[in-house]
Amino acid sequence: MPCGEDLVVLCCRTRLGEPCLKTYPLECVDLLKRAKAAFQTGCTTKESFRLAQLEALVRMLGEHECDFVDALGRDLHKVWGKVTALCDQHAVVFPCCSTTLDDCLVVSEPLGVVLIMGTWCSPVLFCLGPLVGAIAAGNCAVISPSEHTSHTAELLHRLVPSYLDSVSGYKITGKIYLELKFDHVFFVGNREEGSRVAQAAARTFTPVTLILGGKNPCYVDQQCDITATAQRIAWARFHNAGQSVVAPDYVLCHVDVKTRLVRALKCCLMQFYGSDPRESRSFGRMVNLEIINRTRDMLWRSGKVAVGGQVIEAEKYIAPTILTEVVETDPIMQHDVFGPVLPVLTVNTLDEAITFINKQEKPLCVYAYSSNSKVISRLMSETSSGSFCSNDSVLQSVMVGLPFGGVGASGMGSYHGRYSFDAFSHRKSCLLRGTRFECVTYLRYPPEHAYTDLRSALRQIVRAVCKAALLFPPDCGT
């Protein structure tokens, strides 16, 4: 099969105009077979080919930036910056494929055909970001955009085959996926879906990278700049209407600063979105009614609304909301929240905050705001999470020089930059040997050698080494 036919990226989607969830089982099986056959040609392993595909991906984003902005706006009412920044990673993601030390090599080889399952909260970032690493490592890739963001999925379906060496296929649902064998699965989403993906992959011994959202805590110390802290927390929590796996999920603030923090957060919401966020072009919408209803139910049964709380189902709108008087047993603290709701809890000491965080499942992110370096150091070292950031939020998840991934209940594996290359590669240990020194290694062969005197055996080995290396004459004495 020549390069250019069914080769690198198969963007799984239905035919234009059809529902995103419609699938054709036989065609899905055929799609995977064609991808595996394409990988066997070896075209994807050539460095020039990989670089060409990465450059095409950057070109696609640059030439169709307005199209992506439009699709994201229709799906999520999302305000989008420079989408071309997504693939700035390609300059640092393509390392040398092996290292050598004498006769020892570690060769990074592509895994084969990988499945990338994107999430609806960042449908471009979590589809094309991992794709950069998959291409750089020399894999074929099947992309499965979320059915909830249909306009973005449709755009990817239309553009990917035009820019990358590929032929578009059909959407693969979870049910079909369970019956197919990929060489690696990359998934971003919630823990419930991630658990199903991991169980399905385990049945076929398929390795997985899971980036799972959860309850990301944010500690606010009494020693901090309240104004800057409130701005950064409000931006991170309410960006994209709170639909993010890396946003702060709840605030643990010292009791002494609660009143000032809530007041500052209210001011930030006014500054960001005006007196009526519903009219603001900077505030997003929920992706579907299911997420709205789920968030609304938790919101109305938890704590006390300090600001916001309005829900307009017909517009898929939930106002940016801050909850106070929240307790650990409230529904909002028992489930993941993908919506513009920020619960604020209080603690009396740093020890109490650390204990509270450690009682929960390990989160994807831990955030800490304090001007005291000892407080930051303790939170970083005495809690466990996929990532950590002090005096800001979210930024650690977009640094291409840092690996990003989960631990425990927040996932496994990581990606970004060089780490994306590693995620989609197998590091194969290789030992290259000749037969010149067989006189040294013959003692390992059966039957047991006749030496009974250890000193005599060592003399024979030294003689053999000297002779083979031509360092001494054959009759050298010892």
Side-chain angles (χ1 to χ4, degrees):
M1 181 183 297
C3 284
E5 295 184 7
D6 305 336
L7 198 49
V8 175
V9 181
L10 300 172
C11 188
C12 298
R13 183 72 164 80
T14 59
R15 296 185 179 94
L16 293 178
E18 292 182 344
C20 292
L21 283 175
K22 188 170 184 179
T23 58
Y24 303 87
L26 293 179
E27 292 176 352
C28 291
V29 173
D30 180 63
L31 175 108
L32 183 58
K33 287 182 178 179
R34 288 187 287 116
K36 288 182 177 292
F39 177 74
Q40 291 301 320
T41 66
C43 288
T44 62
T45 62
K46 298 177 181 177
E47 181 176 339
S48 59
F49 180 84
R50 301 188 223 178
L51 288 172
Q53 299 307 295
L54 292 172
E55 290 166 358
L57 188 60
V58 174
R59 192 169 67 253
M60 179 187 78
L61 290 170
E63 294 177 0
H64 294 274
E65 181 170 344
C66 291
D67 294 325
F68 280 104
V69 170
D70 178 67
L72 289 166
R74 296 166 70 185
D75 283 328
L76 295 164
H77 196 74
K78 191 170 188 178
V79 180
W80 193 253
K82 283 282 184 182
V83 295
T84 50
L86 170 69
C87 283
D88 287 345
Q89 303 181 45
H90 91 284
V92 295
V93 78
F94 204 94
C96 178
C97 291
S98 66
T99 59
T100 61
L101 179 62
D102 296 330
D103 295 321
C104 297
L105 299 174
V106 177
V107 177
S108 294
E109 61 180 16
L111 297 175
V113 179
V114 301
L115 173 64
I116 298 172
M117 304 177 70
T119 182
W120 51 267
C121 60
S122 296
V124 176
L125 178 66
F126 287 127
C127 279
L128 300 188
L131 180 61
V132 172
I135 292 176
N139 297 279
C140 289
V142 175
I143 305 174
S144 179
S146 171
E147 70 276 7
H148 297 307
T149 48
S150 59
H151 297 96
T152 306
E154 193 73 60
L155 183 62
L156 289 171
H157 166 71
R158 177 166 58 86
L159 293 182
V160 166
S162 301
Y163 282 84
L164 300 184
D165 199 336
S166 61
V167 173
S168 60
Y170 296 92
K171 179 72 179 175
I172 299 180
T173 66
K175 181 177 181 180
I176 302 301
Y177 160 71
L178 297 178
E179 303 170 2
L180 300 178
K181 166 64 177 171
F182 290 90
D183 297 298
H184 191 89
V185 175
F186 185 100
F187 173 82
V188 181
N190 61 47
R191 294 176 181 178
E192 183 180 352
E193 293 174 343
S195 177
R196 289 198 294 266
V197 170
Q199 291 178 35
R203 286 194 282 270
T204 55
F205 299 99
T206 301
V208 295
T209 299
L210 302 177
I211 312 294
L212 307 180
K215 308 296 291 182
N216 299 323
C218 178
Y219 174 70
V220 178
D221 191 46
Q222 71 265 40
Q223 301 179 56
C224 73
D225 183 331
I226 288 294
T227 301
T229 295
Q231 286 182 324
R232 296 179 182 190
I233 292 175
W235 167 78
R237 174 68 265 185
F238 300 111
H239 172 72
N240 197 30
Q243 298 167 110
S244 170
V245 296
V246 295
D249 200 81
Y250 62 94
V251 169
L252 284 175
C253 73
H254 194 281
V255 66
D256 292 344
V257 296
K258 175 191 171 184
T259 302
R260 287 188 292 143
L261 177 63
V262 172
R263 186 187 307 120
L265 288 169
K266 290 180 180 180
C267 291
C268 290
L269 294 181
M270 176 68 72
Q271 176 188 345
F272 292 169
Y273 308 116
S275 58
D276 186 3
R278 178 186 172 195
E279 301 297 328
S280 173
R281 297 185 60 186
S282 300
F283 189 71
R285 295 296 184 269
M286 307 301 288
V287 70
N288 57 37
L289 294 179
E290 179 184 351
I291 302 296
I292 285 181
N293 293 331
R294 182 174 176 272
T295 305
R296 179 190 59 198
D297 292 344
M298 290 189 291
L299 163 63
W300 287 354
R301 293 188 292 123
S302 303
K304 177 183 177 181
V305 175
V307 64
Q310 298 84 12
V311 178
I312 303 176
E313 187 174 307
E315 298 181 14
K316 296 190 289 189
Y317 170 79
I318 296 180
T321 302
I322 297 172
L323 294 178
T324 57
E325 301 180 19
V326 178
V327 296
E328 187 176 357
T329 55
D330 283 345
I332 203 78
M333 295 299 298
Q334 300 301 311
H335 305 281
D336 299 346
V337 181
F338 288 96
V341 181
L342 181 64
V344 177
L345 296 82
T346 57
V347 291
N348 293 304
T349 64
L350 175 61
D351 289 332
E352 186 180 342
I354 291 174
T355 300
F356 186 95
I357 293 171
N358 288 335
K359 282 196 304 182
Q360 321 303 319
E361 296 280 10
K362 294 182 180 181
L364 188 59
C365 315
V366 167
Y367 301 113
Y369 288 83
S370 177
S371 57
N372 188 331
S373 61
K374 293 182 179 179
V375 170
I376 298 299
S377 179
R378 284 197 60 192
L379 277 162
M380 184 171 62
S381 62
E382 296 181 29
T383 63
S384 179
S385 59
S387 64
F388 177 87
C389 183
S390 66
N391 295 310
D392 215 327
S393 300
V394 177
L395 296 187
Q396 87 288 350
S397 70
V398 295
M399 298 288 184
V400 297
L402 293 175
F404 181 69
V407 60
S410 58
M412 61 186 72
S414 60
Y415 79 117
H416 276 180
R418 166 65 199 236
Y419 305 98
S420 292
F421 180 92
D422 293 338
F424 292 103
S425 302
H426 167 62
R427 294 178 64 79
K428 179 168 65 176
S429 301
C430 302
L431 177 63
L432 307 181
R433 305 196 70 197
T435 58
R436 182 180 178 188
F437 295 102
E438 184 65 10
C439 57
V440 179
T441 62
Y442 78 98
L443 291 177
R444 65 185 171 180
Y445 303 134
E448 293 291 329
H449 56 77
Y451 294 108
T452 57
D453 183 357
L454 178 60
R455 183 178 298 177
S456 176
L458 291 174
R459 279 202 302 268
Q460 293 294 327
I461 293 174
V462 170
R463 234 181 237 115
V465 171
C466 293
K467 185 184 297 183
L470 301 179
L471 297 177
F472 298 92
D475 59 345
C476 63
T478 57

